[in-house]
Amino acid sequence: MANILVFDSGMGGLTIYREIRRALPAHHYFYCFDNANFPYGELSEPALIAACSRLVTTMVSRHHIDLVVIACNTASTICLPALRAALDIPVVGVVPAIKPAAAQTRNGCIGLLATPGTVSRHYTHELIAQFAPGKRVLLKGTTELVIEAEHKLAGLPVNMALLQEVLADWLEGESVPDTLVLGCTHFPLLNEEIQQLMPQCQLIDSGRAVAKRVAWLLASGMNSAFVSVPSNEGMAKAYCTRLDETAQKLRAPLQAWGLSSLEEVRV
């Protein structure tokens, strides 16, 4: 069985972990979130690269990790080259699902909901140019909804007025997307609330695509020992960088996602 590290600044990476574990339940999972530096969208690029590199390499060394998933769009667009240079195991990133959105849109209008950092990255605009030529792609960056997703996972009600305010110009008028790319792994946690406001809109995230990539790497690109695995489910544990009172309250929600324990990782 492989040891798989799924890494994010907060709870958003759970949406990626969920898809991978559904597809590959027999492996061991280590979910690590860097709540001491949350949210990543507000860090400078050098600070983000340093924080991610330090934490991920520590987890890889201590837990004999075979494959890393950076389950954060912001970190993926900035940190992947540094992490791949530092590690000799596969590192899988997450990118906005522009390609499937371009294939599925009916009216040619696509919304990309992401963090301000992801929206402004040259890499994101290259994805749009490559995979959505001739489509109208509307960009919206928000940090507030990242925090709302964290609140929801902790059991707090979602601020629907804030969500409506963020999405206001996509709800009516001439620029109404029929396909919405959730370009931050936190946003699938708000699927139900977004769908209430945009019932005719298709919501697309990267979870299944990442799960397929991980499955391919384990079966084809890595040790053949990972091809045939037992049918029983592997263990899954959570780690954070600050086990404070707020993090302690996440133990029950994390257990509901199949993560049996929560520990602090010191780097």
Side-chain angles (χ1 to χ4, degrees), residues 7-56:
F7 173 78
D8 188 18
S9 61
M11 298 295 99
L14 288 173
T15 63
I16 301 294
Y17 152 79
R18 174 178 58 194
E19 294 296 337
I20 300 172
R21 199 176 188 198
R22 280 176 178 170
L24 303 163
H27 297 294
H28 296 319
Y29 291 89
F30 299 78
Y31 183 79
C32 182
F33 59 101
D34 189 10
N35 55 328
N37 290 302
F38 176 85
Y40 272 179
E42 297 182 2
L43 292 183
S44 68
E45 290 195 13
L48 178 55
I49 292 171
C52 286
S53 298
R54 185 167 55 247
L55 183 53
V56 170

Side-chain angles (χ1 to χ4, degrees), residues 205-226:
D205 63 68
S206 303
R208 291 184 180 178
V210 173
K212 288 181 180 179
R213 177 63 177 167
V214 170
W216 183 87
L217 284 167
L218 292 179
S220 304
M222 294 177 61
N223 192 321
S224 60
F226 298 137

